């Protein structure tokens, strides 16, 4: 088996046409890789297109306000990625005169850039032989070479990266890296891999030993932390009251309704506590949703504030920002808040 050669030959026939594959511009490659972190390709496609249209280069991104970057990122989640890429763009303007750094160590030092992203940029843009190690690659290597250590351990990452350094095509590292990730996405899939049509099936330990469903191995997932958010929705036909999250927490610098986080354990007492809530006007329970983040599970309740007195409306204006209906699109907010806003204004 000539792994690198066979893999690249497969890629040249089977690969998908993606916009970030048609460029060696490190800026566009960087943007695509940040967007695709924790995001499916089909979802990231449109976000990438819009992002590059609005910020075609490092300078335009660096000059933008963080709020605009967050707004463009709205719906993608993991908003620290947007804040980091904005911070890094300003760092490049300051330290590299707006030219994307070429050295791996310099790329790696950018805020929000890890080993995988730095290797991807270095190989795709500059043809440097740094292997990428993402979830697709870990799965392919684990199955093909029979790696029984959990792939979510740092030691396993290191072991596989060293193995890849010996396998990578030094003359075509960009194609090799793209090929092995694509192979994991299209061929060696997490569920129902296409083993019968796999070019490596006779050499694959997982296939020949019938261990495909058992590899790769992962350590037990950590339990999500439960949090209880109660939102108070005070609005009229013209607009709604919002406030900006400033704490170093989820959704930092994004907009939401006035809220209260309840410290409840166990969760079964949540509704009992909510019945004793007080805000402005009469509180009318509307709906509840559950939103799962990477390490947290949010139990979100929305309460409509009705029968507000003139004095209460004035107090709300002093504490919060009244955003007019036709200006809401300018405000970056979590998807759950944005979707709820759409529903309440459709009713008016």
């Amino acid at each position: 088996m000539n792994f690198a050669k066979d893999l690249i030959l497969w890629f040249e026939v089977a690969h998908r046409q993606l916009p970030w594959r048609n460029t060696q511009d490190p800026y566009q490659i960087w943007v695509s890789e940040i967007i695709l972190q924790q995001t499916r390709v089909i979802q990231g496609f449109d976000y990438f297109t819009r992002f590059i249209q609005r910020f075609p280069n490092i300078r335009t991104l660096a000059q933008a306000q963080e709020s605009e970057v967050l707004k463009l990122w709205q719906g993608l989640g993991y908003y620290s990625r947007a804040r980091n890429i904005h911070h890094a763009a300003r760092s490049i303007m300051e330290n590299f005169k707006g030219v994307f750094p070429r050295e791996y160590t310099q790329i790696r030092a950018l805020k929000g850039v890890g080993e995988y992203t730095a290797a991807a940029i270095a190989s795709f843009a500059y043809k440097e032989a740094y292997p990428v190690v993402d979830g697709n690659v870990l799965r392919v290597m684990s199955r093909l070479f029979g790696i029984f250590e959990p792939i979510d351990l740092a030691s396993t990452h290191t072991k596989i990266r060293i193995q890849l350094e010996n396998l990578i095509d030094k003359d075509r590292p960009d194609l090799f890296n793209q090929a092995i990730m694509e192979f994991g996405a299209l061929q060696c899939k997490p569920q129902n891999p296409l083993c019968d049509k796999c070019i490596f099936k006779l050499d694959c330990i997982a296939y020949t030993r019938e261990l495909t469903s058992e590899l790769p191995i992962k350590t037990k997932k950590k339990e999500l932390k439960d949090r209880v958010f109660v939102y108070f929705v005070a609005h009229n036909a013209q607009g709604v009251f919002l406030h900006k999250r400033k704490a170093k927490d989820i959704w930092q610098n994004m907009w939401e309704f006035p809220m209260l986080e309840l410290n409840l354990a166990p969760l079964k007492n949540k509704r009992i506590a909510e019945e004793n809530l007080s805000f402005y006007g009469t509180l009318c329970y509307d709906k509840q949703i559950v939103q799962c983040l990477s390490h947290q599970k949010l139990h979100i309740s929305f309460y409509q504030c009705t029968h507000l007195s003139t004095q209460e409306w004035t107090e709300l204006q002093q504490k919060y920002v009244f955003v007019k209906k036709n200006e809401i699109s300018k405000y970056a907010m979590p998807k759950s808040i944005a979707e709820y806003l759409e529903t309440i204004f459709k009713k008016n």
Side-chain angles (χ1 to χ4, degrees):
M1 174 179 66
N2 188 330
F3 181 65
K5 181 181 178 182
D6 293 344
L7 185 65
I8 291 173
L9 285 173
W10 172 90
F11 176 74
E12 289 175 339
V13 174
H15 73 277
R16 294 168 291 182
Q17 294 293 333
L18 301 173
W20 46 84
R21 285 183 176 156
N22 300 322
T23 180
Q24 287 185 305
D25 179 359
Y27 170 71
Q28 291 196 27
I29 293 167
W30 172 46
V31 170
S32 73
E33 291 298 336
I34 298 299
I35 286 177
L36 292 176
Q37 291 172 3
Q38 308 292 335
T39 302
R40 293 177 296 114
V41 168
I42 193 170
Q43 182 187 13
F45 191 100
D46 290 338
Y47 278 93
F48 172 80
T49 302
R50 290 194 295 268
F51 200 94
I52 294 300
Q53 286 175 346
R54 174 59 188 89
F55 307 120
N57 51 51
I58 294 169
R59 182 176 297 277
T60 53
L61 176 57
Q63 290 175 342
Q65 295 297 313
E66 183 185 272
S67 58
E68 186 180 3
V69 180
L70 286 171
K71 180 61 183 177
L72 204 56
W73 207 270
Q74 184 172 302
L76 264 180
Y78 299 93
Y79 293 99
S80 61
R81 294 181 295 172
R83 289 189 290 270
N84 288 341
I85 200 171
H86 185 232
H87 179 281
R90 291 185 168 181
S91 175
I92 292 171
M93 290 301 300
E94 181 180 348
N95 299 317
F96 299 98
K97 298 181 180 180
V99 178
F100 200 92
R102 186 181 180 90
E103 298 296 327
Y104 173 87
T105 54
Q106 295 172 334
I107 299 171
R108 178 69 178 83
L110 295 174
K111 192 167 185 179
V113 173
E115 289 182 349
Y116 160 77
T117 304
I121 297 169
S123 63
F124 300 160
Y126 305 127
K127 295 187 182 296
E128 298 288 342
Y130 288 94
V132 295
V133 183
D134 73 344
N136 285 318
V137 175
L138 289 167
R139 184 170 58 257
V140 171
M141 295 293 289
S142 177
R143 286 174 175 167
L144 185 59
F145 295 100
I147 296 172
F148 293 91
E149 295 93 335
I151 61 168
D152 46 2
L153 295 180
S155 58
T156 310
H157 276 236
T158 300
K159 176 180 178 178
I160 290 176
R161 185 165 51 253
I162 292 171
Q163 201 167 359
L164 285 165
E165 287 173 356
N166 295 320
L167 292 171
I168 194 170
D169 188 319
K170 302 296 193 298
D171 296 321
R172 298 177 294 175
D174 51 334
L175 288 179
F176 177 89
N177 279 338
Q178 290 185 62
I180 194 168
M181 289 192 291
E182 192 79 332
F183 194 82
L186 302 182
Q187 189 82 30
C188 194
K189 300 185 291 184
Q191 305 296 327
N192 303 315
L194 308 179
C195 294
D196 290 340
K197 299 178 181 179
C198 178
I199 60 174
F200 300 119
K201 66 179 182 180
L202 297 180
D203 299 294
C204 178
I205 291 178
Y207 179 76
T208 56
R209 298 184 186 178
E210 298 183 352
L211 296 171
T212 305
S213 61
E214 298 178 31
L215 292 174
I217 295 171
K218 294 182 181 180
T219 55
K220 187 178 179 180
K221 267 194 170 183
K222 292 182 180 179
E223 291 187 8
L224 298 179
K225 176 185 177 183
D226 287 298
R227 298 178 71 178
V228 179
F229 288 6
V230 178
Y231 283 113
F232 304 105
V233 187
H235 70 99
N236 59 22
Q238 285 71 49
V240 63
F241 284 101
L242 299 176
H243 85 106
K244 191 175 186 179
R245 292 180 68 93
K246 295 182 179 179
K248 290 187 177 180
D249 192 7
I250 60 169
W251 305 334
Q252 183 181 357
N253 293 333
M254 302 187 78
W255 293 81
E256 63 183 357
F257 306 118
M259 63 89 70
L260 174 67
E261 180 170 0
L262 300 180
N263 184 18
L264 294 175
L267 284 172
K268 64 182 180 182
N269 293 326
K270 178 168 66 66
R271 290 302 300 274
I272 296 174
E274 287 180 352
E275 290 174 1
N276 298 314
L277 293 173
S278 63
F279 192 62
Y280 293 94
T282 302
L283 295 182
C284 298
Y285 171 78
D286 188 11
K287 66 180 296 186
Q288 182 181 91
I289 64 171
V290 175
Q291 183 175 356
C292 291
L293 307 179
S294 58
H295 297 91
Q296 301 180 26
K297 186 175 184 180
L298 307 182
H299 303 260
I300 301 173
S301 297
F302 296 96
Y303 283 79
Q304 296 275 347
C305 303
T306 62
H307 303 96
L308 289 160
S309 67
T310 302
Q311 181 179 347
E312 287 175 322
W313 191 266
T314 301
E315 289 183 17
L316 282 168
Q317 288 178 314
Q318 293 171 347
K319 293 183 178 181
Y320 305 103
V321 177
F322 184 75
V323 179
K324 293 182 179 179
K325 182 179 177 180
N326 61 359
E327 294 181 352
I328 286 175
S329 61
K330 300 177 183 177
Y331 289 73
M333 58 188 68
K335 186 179 180 181
S336 54
I337 304 299
E339 289 179 346
Y340 187 81
L341 269 175
E342 288 182 12
T343 63
I344 65 172
F345 282 123
K346 280 180 181 178
K347 295 176 183 177
N348 292 332

